[in-house]
Amino acid sequence: MYHPSGSVVRQTAGFATGVLDPGAPDRRSADTDAILFQRCTWCGTAMYHRLLCPVCQGSDLRTERSEGAGTVRHSTVVHRNTPAARNVSLIEMAEGFVVRGRVMGPPVGIHSGDRVRLSTAKDPVRGEPVFQLIDEPYRAWS
């Protein structure tokens, strides 16, 4: 939040205080990696890193822990600002929210519909979740 004196003030009140804080009290164990997401207590919508519900605009969000399983919805190969090509994927988690992350493996080998599981909640370089393929999906080769 911007303060008129020109300094940045951190808002500390409200239910969503610990949402973006990795050291939030809802974190069960520091040694286990997990994705924390929010669920609206009014309409039940699951979302990732939001302050308001995108469906009902409610601010009463509770933090939950994801099981870590998901499906690749979109993946693209990025060659910019990196010495080697890497993939950037949108993963739809089993709980119903979508998160941006990276899937381990060759960047061109990741496709929509691939099932993935969370490997690391926070990549030390980019700070985004890292996933690994669960199994090789059936693909019809023509």
Side-chain angles (χ1 to χ4, degrees):
M1 172 177 3
Y2 178 76
H3 193 267
S5 67
S7 63
V8 176
V9 177
R10 185 172 178 179
Q11 184 177 357
T12 58
F15 285 102
T17 302
V19 168
L20 303 178
D21 183 13
D26 289 305
R27 187 140 176 127
R28 293 182 185 147
S29 172
D31 58 340
T32 53
D33 281 329
I35 293 180
L36 300 180
F37 68 99
Q38 297 77 43
R39 187 172 304 276
C40 179
T41 57
W42 192 78
C43 72
T45 301
M47 65 214 81
Y48 184 68
H49 285 271
R50 291 295 198 76
L51 296 176
L52 293 175
C53 175
V55 175
C56 71
Q57 302 302 311
S59 62
D60 189 11
L61 310 175
R62 75 175 174 266
T63 302
E64 294 183 11
R65 183 185 213 74
S66 171
E67 293 298 319
T71 304
V72 176
R73 285 293 156 229
H74 178 75
S75 185
T76 188
V77 178
V78 176
H79 298 276
R80 184 180 41 179
N81 297 333
T82 182
R86 64 182 176 88
N87 75 9
V88 176
S89 300
L90 292 178
I91 311 296
E92 184 177 339
M93 302 303 290
E95 293 82 7
F97 65 95
V98 176
V99 63
R100 178 183 162 197
R102 179 174 62 86
V103 179
M104 292 189 294
V108 295
I110 311 303
H111 303 283
S112 296
D114 288 350
R115 294 178 350 145
V116 294
R117 174 154 300 283
L118 182 68
S119 175
T120 304
K122 202 167 204 182
D123 180 6
V125 175
R126 301 222 176 257
E128 59 190 14
V130 178
F131 297 88
Q132 62 186 1
L133 290 171
I134 291 177
D135 53 12
E136 185 66 27
Y138 173 76
R139 296 193 210 293
W141 300 100
S142 30

